[in-house]
Amino acid sequence: MTRIRAWLPLLGALGCWAPSSTAQETHESAPQVVRIDAVRDVDEVPYRRFYKGMQVFAEHRQLAPGAALRFRLYPRAQDASFAGLAVTLVAGKTELPLELDANQSFTLPMDARLAAQDAVVMTNKQDGTYAWRVDIRTPGLPPATRRLGDLRLECKVDMKGAELRRMVRDPSIMALVATGDPCTYRTFQNPFFADRPVFNVTLVHGARREAIAGEWMYANSARLLPEAGYALVDWGHARDRQYIPAIFDASWPDDTLLEFEYMDDPP
């Protein structure tokens, strides 16, 4: 992948150059376009976006004081495989393989120099195979649970910093990002991915219990796109994993737990 990037300036120059003997022919004929299809398939994210996300995490970590910041890959399609997956931090001619845990999550060093050097984080798979996500988890929680404050911080880190999720960022959303926090608005739909295809999600705090309504599961509330538009968003893929918790609702404190019932749980 790095070799392709290194050759791009030269390939661009060759695409613009033509011998003088064919200048008249070139002028009279339709313009020629050089297409480098491989470039479209590079699955990479600029490191500076991760770096900005780390800054937002440090600023708001009171939402999840016991958690660490990781980044994670989820399958965007049912047949997406993690077999042979490798994730690499590339800065110039230096390549640093990143260690993946069992959930395909990884950490990154926080280094302003890497952000200034236009470093990238890339996989060895085709672009669009995975959904890139912020992953923040307070340790010691019961199995099959998440903490609401962790999810709130994930939303902030992504929307105000890393911008990892594929979504249509319309002017209203961008205005909220610039002037406020879209994660605190009821009208902002923020789908999360469960670890596995999920049957039900219930918010629990003390004696209060409330299941997430079906409208907010499986991207049911999202406006459907033509199939050609699915490349622009993540919510159109792996919909059996998706749920939208009420992270905007301050009546649920940060220590609220989300209990998951998965489709493959034993009866």
Side-chain angles (χ1 to χ4, degrees):
M1 298 298 182
T2 54
R3 292 181 179 179
I4 292 175
R5 190 185 302 104
W7 280 96
L8 284 180
L10 179 57
L11 289 171
L14 290 175
C16 298
W17 178 83
S20 58
S21 61
T22 62
Q24 183 65 26
E25 178 183 345
T26 303
H27 175 75
E28 294 177 352
S29 61
Q32 296 183 354
V33 177
V34 177
R35 297 180 61 185
I36 307 174
D37 290 339
V39 175
R40 297 183 304 168
D41 293 336
V42 175
D43 186 22
E44 66 179 25
V45 177
Y47 170 84
R48 63 180 176 274
R49 284 159 55 181
F50 294 99
Y51 181 78
K52 189 175 179 181
M54 294 179 210
Q55 292 176 309
V56 175
F57 175 78
E59 182 179 355
H60 297 282
R61 69 170 310 155
Q62 73 276 4
L63 291 170
L69 174 60
R70 299 181 67 86
F71 303 97
R72 181 173 175 178
L73 298 171
Y74 289 88
R76 289 183 86 234
Q78 296 290 351
D79 58 351
S81 172
F82 291 115
L85 170 65
V87 182
T88 306
L89 173 61
V90 181
K93 296 182 179 180
T94 301
E95 299 186 3
L96 175 65
L98 300 176
E99 182 178 354
L100 296 173
D101 70 5
N103 291 324
Q104 291 77 46
S105 76
F106 58 92
T107 60
L108 285 168
M110 187 174 183
D111 191 331
R113 295 170 300 176
L114 292 174
Q117 292 172 7
D118 291 331
V120 299
V121 180
M122 63 165 48
T123 77
N124 59 337
K125 302 291 186 175
Q126 184 177 359
D127 183 37
T129 302
Y130 307 118
W132 298 70
R133 281 292 189 275
V134 177
D135 193 60
I136 298 171
R137 297 177 186 248
T138 295
L141 297 182
T145 64
R146 295 293 310 271
R147 181 178 173 276
L148 193 60
D150 296 0
L151 299 181
R152 284 172 169 149
L153 187 50
E154 284 185 7
C155 183
K156 284 183 185 292
V157 170
D158 188 74
M159 293 303 301
K160 301 286 287 184
E163 297 183 0
L164 296 181
R165 75 189 61 206
R166 296 180 188 227
M167 59 181 293
V168 179
R169 299 178 185 269
D170 61 42
S172 62
I173 292 178
M174 298 312 296
L176 285 177
V177 171
T179 62
D181 182 1
C183 302
T184 62
Y185 285 80
R186 179 183 295 271
T187 55
F188 175 63
Q189 297 182 15
N190 185 63
F192 290 84
F193 282 96
D195 293 336
R196 310 196 304 274
V198 65
F199 176 71
N200 189 49
V201 184
T202 303
L203 279 75
V204 180
H205 186 260
R208 184 183 179 190
R209 299 178 63 89
E210 184 177 309
I212 295 179
E215 178 185 2
W216 306 108
M217 300 287 291
Y218 317 125
N220 286 337
S221 63
R223 182 174 56 191
L224 295 180
L225 289 176
E227 185 175 350
Y230 281 1
L232 302 175
V233 298
D234 281 338
W235 60 256
H237 304 267
R239 295 177 66 170
D240 56 358
R241 289 173 174 252
Q242 293 184 51
Y243 63 101
I244 302 179
I247 59 174
F248 58 84
D249 187 348
S251 71
W252 291 101
D254 291 335
D255 286 333
T256 297
L257 291 184
L258 287 78
E259 296 181 348
F260 290 81
E261 299 173 58
Y262 295 107
M263 292 184 181
D264 59 0
D265 283 344

